């Protein structure tokens, strides 16, 4: 099957969240929410890709798909861990109580229920969707514990003697919450605690919790956190946290930041890479599907793998060393014409700016600002601009340009701002110091 470089894309039709991201038996496995029939969201499958280096991805088709009464309408997001040499995949299993007669791939008025399930694979390549699935947490009946419809996206990890699971949920679709379960064997789970928080939007999706340099970091995707009348008011947040394992007590220290200030990025998931770094991958939402010549129409892709770091009490999302290595070849700027994949490194002073094929970046009031309005076609209702918080007088940029996605790492990953674009031109203007191509 075909290969993708740097950004895993839908192998045709629809992709959303990364799932089951893991380094297992010498390979990176990345699964993803996949609707194989059309470039729109629908009955969810887990697509599967593998990589040796987080840069070159080989597509392996569909790993998980509906087979059971409890997952008949979708194998929703989840995560992976290795236990006794085997690969354990945890996911949310969706069953519609009423289907939409005009589109059986969606539920009528959100009438569905969700349980949590798992499937075990002996080698990470074979998945028996009939024999090896198991329901582990039934639909939640007690609304004080969780929501029977919107409780999903199990993130599972091991710490000491126990396995832990974080689940995204809601209280009456008014307030997001994260639920914590614990287990001795990864199969029998017990509910322990939860955190409800205004900062979790109306429904919290895809929670993730892990330690970096001794400090807990929380990632989550609140739905309807900030509404401004534009399409898709859902963004991924990050914050330093305290987690008391004994009682599964979570506390966020400060006002969370955004994982990415372009706000196209959603549903990030992390795991440990070969060298023990904490790596994050997330879905880049695309408002419209694309059909390149000779390819299936596709919608959605993953961002570059980013290393999550904590330094001086701040969270960083840094360029992964494998990506850095891939872009090892520096070329004179004039040689760039027509390339669709390149990297720019430079710094900007207050008032200075760049124009990358119509995509504009500039520093104003100590923030980095971006404007994609000239390279977004005639799509309306979408956010066309973005800006970082204040930068403290320093703006060093490491920019990755790939035909439909620009990712801007600011000050060593202190902030990242990424935008999906359509139709970049050739123009390159501004104080460009270093230009690199990949390969
Ligand atoms: C996030 C999400 C998850 C869910 C999945 C369904 O984008 O809504 O909460 O599991 O996508 O595709």
């Amino acid at each position: 099957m075909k290969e993708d470089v740097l950004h895993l894309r839908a192998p045709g039709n629809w992709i959303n969240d990364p799932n089951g991201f893991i380094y297992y038996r010498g390979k990176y496995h990345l699964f993803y929410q996949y609707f194989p029939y059309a470039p729109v969201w629908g009955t969810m499958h887990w697509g599967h890709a593998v990589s040796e280096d987080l840069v070159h991805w080989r597509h392996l088709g569909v790993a998980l798909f509906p087979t059971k009464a409890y997952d008949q309408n979708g194998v929703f997001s989840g995560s992976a861990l290795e236990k006794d040499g085997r690969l354990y995949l945890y996911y949310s299993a969706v069953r519609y109580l009423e289907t939409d007669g005009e589109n059986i791939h969606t539920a009528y008025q959100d009438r569905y229920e969700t349980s949590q399930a798992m499937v075990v694979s002996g080698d990470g390549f074979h998945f028996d969707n009939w024999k090896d699935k198991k329901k582990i947490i039934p639909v939640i009946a007690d609304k004080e514990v969780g929501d029977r419809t919107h409780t999903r996206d199990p993130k599972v990890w091991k710490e000491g003697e126990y396995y832990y699971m974080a689940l995204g949920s809601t209280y009456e679709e008014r307030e997001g919450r994260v639920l914590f379960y614990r287990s001795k064997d990864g199969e029998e789970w017990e509910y322990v605690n939860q955190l409800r928080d205004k900062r979790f939007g109306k429904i919290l999706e895809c929670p993730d919790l892990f330690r970096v340099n001794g400090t807990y970091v929380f990632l989550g995707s609140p739905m309807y956190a900030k509404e401004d009348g534009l399409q898709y008011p859902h963004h991924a947040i990050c914050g330093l946290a305290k987690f008391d394992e004994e009682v599964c007590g979570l506390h966020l220290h400060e006002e969370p930041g955004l994982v990415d200030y372009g706000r196209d990025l959603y549903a990030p998931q992390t795991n440990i890479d070969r060298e023990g770094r904490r790596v994050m991958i997330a879905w880049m939402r695309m408002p419209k599907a694309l059909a390149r010549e000779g390819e299936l129409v596709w919608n959605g892709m993953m961002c570059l793998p980013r290393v999550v770091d904590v330094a001086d009490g701040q969270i960083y999302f840094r360029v992964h060393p494998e990506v850095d290595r891939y872009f090892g070849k520096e070329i004179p700027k004039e040689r760039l014409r027509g390339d669709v994949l390149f990297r720019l490194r430079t710094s900007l002073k207050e008032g200075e700016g760049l124009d990358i094929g119509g995509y504009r970046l500039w520093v104003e009031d100590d923030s980095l600002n971006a404007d994609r309005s000239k390279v977004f076609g005639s799509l309306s209702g979408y956010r066309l601009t973005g800006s970082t918080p204040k930068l403290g007088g320093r703006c060093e940029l490491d920019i990755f340009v790939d035909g439909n996605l620009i990712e801007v790492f600011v000050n060593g990953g202190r902030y990242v701002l990424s935008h999906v674009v359509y139709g970049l031109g050739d123009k390159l203007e501004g104080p460009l110091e270093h230009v690199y191509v990949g390969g």
Side-chain angles (χ1 to χ4, degrees):
M1 270 195 152
K2 77 181 204 27
E3 216 190 66
D4 280 339
V5 179
L6 294 164
H7 299 111
L8 184 80
R9 287 192 280 143
N13 297 311
W14 175 267
I15 203 171
N16 57 288
D17 315 355
N19 296 153
F21 179 37
I22 190 168
Y23 182 68
Y24 171 72
R25 293 201 188 175
K27 283 193 172 48
Y28 293 100
H29 290 255
L30 183 59
F31 302 83
Y32 50 86
Q33 291 286 282
Y34 182 38
F35 185 60
Y37 307 140
V40 296
W41 188 90
T43 303
M44 281 293 133
H45 299 50
W46 278 30
H48 186 195
V50 287
S51 172
E52 310 272 332
D53 59 2
L54 293 172
V55 169
H56 300 86
W57 291 99
R58 187 158 54 92
H59 283 279
L60 292 177
V62 173
L64 307 185
F65 52 90
T67 44
K68 304 292 177 187
Y70 56 84
D71 72 8
Q72 61 183 282
N73 297 106
V75 181
F76 272 26
S77 286
S79 58
L81 60 80
E82 180 175 349
K83 191 190 165 206
D84 306 325
R86 299 196 296 163
L87 182 67
Y88 282 49
L89 301 178
Y90 297 87
Y91 67 94
S92 295
V94 166
R95 188 174 81 86
Y96 293 166
L97 301 172
E98 201 171 336
T99 43
D100 179 336
E102 292 306 312
N103 176 7
I104 60 146
H105 298 286
T106 59
Y108 177 69
Q109 290 184 346
D110 255 8
R111 290 189 23 81
Y112 67 91
E113 59 180 28
T114 308
S115 53
Q116 315 307 321
M118 66 186 283
V119 56
V120 179
S121 163
D123 61 2
F125 289 97
H126 298 92
F127 306 89
D128 192 325
N129 281 267
W130 287 270
K131 283 214 213 85
D132 294 335
K133 283 180 179 170
K134 180 176 168 187
K135 194 198 276 192
I136 49 174
I137 300 177
V139 175
I140 298 176
D142 180 353
K143 83 173 199 166
E144 291 310 310
V145 173
D147 190 83
R148 60 182 302 118
T149 307
H150 300 289
T151 296
R152 54 182 172 255
D153 311 336
K155 178 69 202 285
V156 174
W157 71 97
K158 185 161 191 233
E159 174 85 40
E161 281 171 63
Y162 286 102
Y163 293 89
Y164 295 83
M165 180 190 289
L167 283 169
S169 191
T170 176
Y171 186 75
E172 294 181 338
E173 294 177 44
R174 286 193 282 123
E175 199 172 359
R177 52 179 161 170
V178 54
L179 316 182
F180 292 102
Y181 284 71
R182 190 162 50 198
S183 165
K184 281 227 142 164
D185 59 5
E187 299 196 26
E188 303 279 321
W189 294 87
E190 170 201 18
Y191 166 74
V192 186
N193 204 345
Q194 64 180 273
L195 175 67
R196 247 198 241 175
D197 197 309
K198 289 261 176 305
R199 299 168 295 187
F200 292 167
K202 296 195 172 154
I203 302 173
L204 182 74
E205 301 187 305
C206 305
D208 196 349
L209 183 65
F210 48 87
R211 244 201 290 247
V212 179
N213 302 337
T215 310
Y216 271 105
V217 175
F218 177 80
L219 304 184
S221 296
M223 297 181 81
Y224 310 102
K226 299 191 174 117
E227 290 191 69
D228 52 13
L230 292 174
Q231 295 275 357
Y232 215 85
H234 321 320
H235 317 290
I237 57 166
C238 59
L240 294 173
K242 211 177 102 178
F243 184 63
D244 180 347
E245 286 111 22
E246 192 68 28
V247 292
C248 291
L250 177 69
H251 169 81
L252 297 191
H253 290 319
E254 19 144 67
E255 201 44 44
L258 294 180
V259 174
D260 191 295
Y261 286 82
R263 300 178 185 220
D264 286 345
L265 181 147
Y266 198 67
Q269 183 173 100
T270 71
N271 213 331
I272 298 294
D273 75 1
R274 190 189 285 125
E275 281 76 30
R277 301 176 199 99
R278 180 59 61 167
V279 181
M280 183 275 281
I281 277 188
W283 167 43
M284 299 303 306
R285 208 176 43 246
M286 295 175 63
K288 92 177 174 211
L290 275 165
R292 291 195 184 136
E293 215 179 301
E295 285 182 355
L296 285 170
V297 55
W298 59 280
N299 188 323
M301 62 181 134
M302 298 300 161
C303 67
L304 287 176
R306 302 175 185 180
V307 177
V308 189
D309 194 10
V310 175
D312 311 322
Q314 313 275 16
I315 302 173
Y316 287 76
F317 294 96
R318 302 190 192 276
V319 175
H320 193 279
E322 293 280 6
V323 173
D324 188 53
R325 184 166 320 140
Y326 181 78
F327 285 99
K329 195 163 127 213
E330 187 163 358
I331 58 160
K333 150 182 179 193
E334 303 67 50
R335 292 246 315 272
L336 205 54
R337 297 274 167 259
D339 284 83
V340 287
L341 192 58
F342 56 93
R343 173 187 193 179
L344 307 170
R345 298 184 83 162
T346 192
S347 49
L348 295 181
K349 299 194 191 68
E350 179 72 29
E352 285 186 333
L354 296 174
D355 187 323
I356 306 168
Y359 182 74
R360 297 253 312 120
L361 287 169
W362 73 99
V363 179
E364 188 181 322
D365 287 340
D366 199 29
S367 295
L368 180 72
N369 301 279
D371 183 349
R372 64 173 162 191
S373 50
K374 290 210 179 102
V375 285
F376 206 57
S378 54
L379 299 161
S380 61
Y382 289 90
R383 190 176 284 102
L384 299 173
T385 57
S387 21
T388 65
K390 303 270 180 218
L391 298 175
R394 185 168 69 94
C395 181
E396 278 157 27
L397 302 179
D398 197 352
I399 306 168
F400 294 83
V401 182
D402 184 351
N404 295 106
L405 178 61
I406 300 190
E407 291 164 277
V408 184
F409 293 74
V410 188
N411 294 342
R414 176 66 187 93
Y415 302 113
V416 187
L417 193 163
S418 312
H419 272 136
V420 165
V421 295
Y422 295 93
L424 282 182
D426 275 349
K427 181 161 150 197
L428 259 187
E429 253 175 40
L432 294 164
E433 284 160 22
H434 302 283
V435 177
Y436 307 81
V437 288

